């Protein structure tokens, strides 16, 4: 009881606070998303995401070098093809934009880990994450035929040099399909980072500008999770673990830290949190208006994800955060 117990004693000096800090954010916790587009010399800023760009492969390589020099261990690649179709050809073709970017990055920065987002929405003409029933305008994806496309895409990405496959379409059985496809093709050592608990969130808006992946009709609520559900997340991660997932993702992060915590408590696998585009854009907008201290808010937010249980954090703030962390 007071005055014997005085918790402020351990807050009295900056070095003492540092010594007893329970959660420490480092550059090794960060993964930087990049958007690859066809062409050369392309660097097109995403209007709703200040500081984020669609980049041609040559520019992706320069970004990869900068990321590695900052101490960030990994990037995740998203692709915007020059044409789209109902078979998502750009996702699995050996000349796909993610495949080209992955090969170029691994040649230029071999020690950098390259993760591929393994989904189809950026590559389908309708903007949904797989095959649709002919004439269906509800956005109801045909699950099992889509698994074949995801399997082809994952194998193609592995052949291109990708280090980690990250399926994000929330199809039932997608981890098992991808694992069996990778193993059959000889890629038994390639791990799967599953978007195990991906919610149908309003926070994805700016990303769809960046990836040009907005659905042409309907929505994605028939395959992404209801924001009101938490027990369902545990069911999803249990299924993905049983199918061979090596790591688990919770997306989004900011409004779902309770889910990050529950997933971490329920699993022994590494847990990733995706600090998504809407979360990023809100901070950027407030900072540009002078309403917040961007550095302090970003580092506090990223630390909170780690405190909630995240081992890895995918964030568009990664380069800025790494610079601030490196500066102490």
């Amino acid at each position: 009881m007071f005055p014997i117990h005085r918790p402020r004693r351990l807050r009295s000096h900056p070095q003492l606070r540092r010594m007893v800090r329970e959660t420490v954010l480092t550059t090794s916790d960060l993964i930087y998303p990049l958007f690859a587009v066809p062409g050369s010399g392309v660097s097109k800023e995403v209007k709703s995401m200040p500081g984020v760009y669609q980049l041609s492969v040559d520019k992706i390589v320069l970004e990869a070098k900068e990321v590695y020099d900052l101490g960030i261990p990994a990037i995740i690649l998203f692709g915007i093809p020059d044409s789209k179709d109902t078979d998502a050809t750009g996702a699995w073709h050996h000349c796909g934009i993610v495949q080209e970017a992955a090969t170029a990055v691994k040649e230029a920065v071999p020690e950098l880990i390259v993760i591929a987002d393994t989904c189809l929405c950026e590559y389908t003409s309708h903007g949904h994450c797989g095959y649709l029933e002919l004439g269906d305008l509800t956005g109801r994806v045909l699950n099992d035929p889509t698994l074949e496309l995801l399997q082809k895409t994952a194998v193609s990405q592995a052949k291109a040099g990708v280090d980690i496959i990250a399926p994000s379409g929330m199809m039932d059985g997608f981890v098992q399909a991808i694992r069996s496809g990778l193993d059959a093709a000889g890629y038994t050592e390639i791990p799967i980072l599953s978007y195990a608990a991906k919610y149908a969130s309003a926070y994805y808006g700016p990303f769809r500008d960046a990836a040009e992946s907005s659905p042409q009709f309907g929505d994605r609520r028939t395959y992404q999770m209801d924001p009101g559900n938490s027990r369902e997340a545990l069911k999803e991660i249990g299924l993905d673990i049983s199918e061979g997932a090596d790591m688990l993702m919770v997306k989004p992060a900011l409004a779902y830290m309770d889910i990050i915590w529950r997933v971490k408590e329920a699993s022994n696998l590494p847990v990733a949190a995706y600090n998504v585009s809407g979360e990023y854009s809100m901070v950027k907008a407030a900072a540009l208006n002078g309403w917040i201290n961007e550095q302090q808010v970003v580092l506090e937010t990223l630390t909170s994800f780690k405190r909630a249980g995240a081992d890895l954090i995918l964030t568009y703030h990664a380069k800025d955060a790494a610079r601030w962390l490196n500066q102490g």
Side-chain angles (χ1 to χ4, degrees):
M1 296 177 62
F2 179 84
I4 296 174
H5 295 288
R6 293 179 180 267
R8 287 181 59 187
R9 290 173 183 145
L10 299 183
R11 305 172 194 155
S12 61
H13 191 280
Q15 294 293 11
L16 185 54
R17 292 194 296 272
R18 178 183 171 198
M19 289 168 62
V20 300
R21 185 169 295 143
E22 299 172 27
T23 304
V24 179
L25 181 72
T26 74
T27 58
S28 296
D29 301 320
L30 306 176
I31 298 170
Y32 189 50
L34 289 169
F35 298 93
V37 296
S40 178
V42 178
S43 181
K44 179 183 177 183
E45 188 170 26
V46 180
K47 290 183 179 179
S48 56
M49 298 178 70
V52 174
Y53 297 81
Q54 294 178 340
L55 300 168
S56 52
V57 171
D58 55 324
K59 295 289 188 178
I60 291 274
V61 169
L62 295 177
E63 282 286 290
K65 291 178 179 177
E66 181 181 3
V67 165
Y68 183 73
D69 288 343
L70 286 168
I72 299 168
I75 60 171
I76 182 167
L77 292 173
F78 298 87
I80 301 97
D82 53 7
S83 63
K84 306 185 180 191
D85 55 39
T86 56
D87 291 323
T89 304
W92 49 263
H93 197 277
H94 69 277
C95 290
I97 187 61
V98 163
Q99 286 80 351
E100 290 186 10
T103 300
V105 169
K106 292 304 292 184
E107 289 177 353
V109 198
E111 294 303 312
L112 184 70
I113 295 294
V114 175
I115 307 169
D117 178 76
T118 306
C119 196
L120 307 173
C121 59
E122 299 106 304
Y123 308 95
T124 56
S125 51
H126 45 68
H128 284 284
C129 299
Y131 284 123
L132 300 182
E133 186 75 53
L134 187 63
D136 186 348
L137 298 181
T138 66
R140 191 183 304 274
V141 174
L142 298 174
N143 193 91
D144 295 4
T146 296
L147 296 181
E148 298 178 14
L149 284 181
L150 291 171
Q151 189 178 75
K152 287 171 61 177
T153 300
V155 171
S156 175
Q157 291 170 341
K159 287 181 178 177
V162 165
D163 298 294
I164 299 174
I165 298 297
S168 62
M170 289 298 288
M171 296 295 110
D172 294 339
F174 67 167
V175 172
Q176 179 177 317
I178 288 170
R179 183 74 272 160
S180 62
L182 290 172
D183 289 354
Y187 297 105
T188 57
E189 301 303 314
I190 298 289
I192 295 174
L193 167 57
S194 172
Y195 287 66
K198 181 179 179 180
Y199 286 84
S201 173
Y203 283 96
Y204 300 151
F207 172 89
R208 290 171 182 169
D209 293 338
E212 300 179 11
S213 62
S214 297
Q216 298 301 303
F217 49 81
D219 56 42
R220 294 178 177 150
R221 294 181 181 271
T222 66
Y223 43 103
Q224 295 177 357
M225 289 176 54
D226 190 310
N229 293 356
S230 58
R231 293 192 304 271
E232 185 183 13
L234 301 185
K235 179 179 180 179
E236 288 281 5
I237 70 158
L239 291 170
D240 286 4
I241 291 170
S242 69
E243 293 174 17
D246 300 284
M247 296 177 279
L248 305 168
M249 178 105 73
V250 176
K251 181 181 180 182
L254 189 61
Y256 296 85
M257 282 195 277
D258 61 317
I259 306 301
I260 298 171
W261 175 258
R262 294 190 70 173
V263 169
K264 185 65 175 180
E265 289 292 291
S267 166
N268 291 321
L269 297 185
V271 176
Y274 202 138
N275 181 207
V276 299
S277 59
E279 299 164 8
Y280 170 87
S281 294
M282 289 191 302
V283 170
K284 279 292 185 182
L288 288 170
N289 278 284
W291 298 336
I292 60 171
N293 182 307
E294 181 179 359
Q295 176 178 337
Q296 292 179 2
V297 167
V298 168
L299 293 179
E300 180 179 343
T301 301
L302 298 181
T303 300
S304 73
F305 298 150
K306 191 171 181 182
R307 191 186 65 242
D311 301 290
L312 305 167
I313 303 168
L314 292 80
T315 178
Y316 304 97
H317 296 292
K319 289 200 304 180
D320 286 336
R323 292 188 188 101
W324 295 327
L325 291 170
N326 291 333
Q327 291 166 3

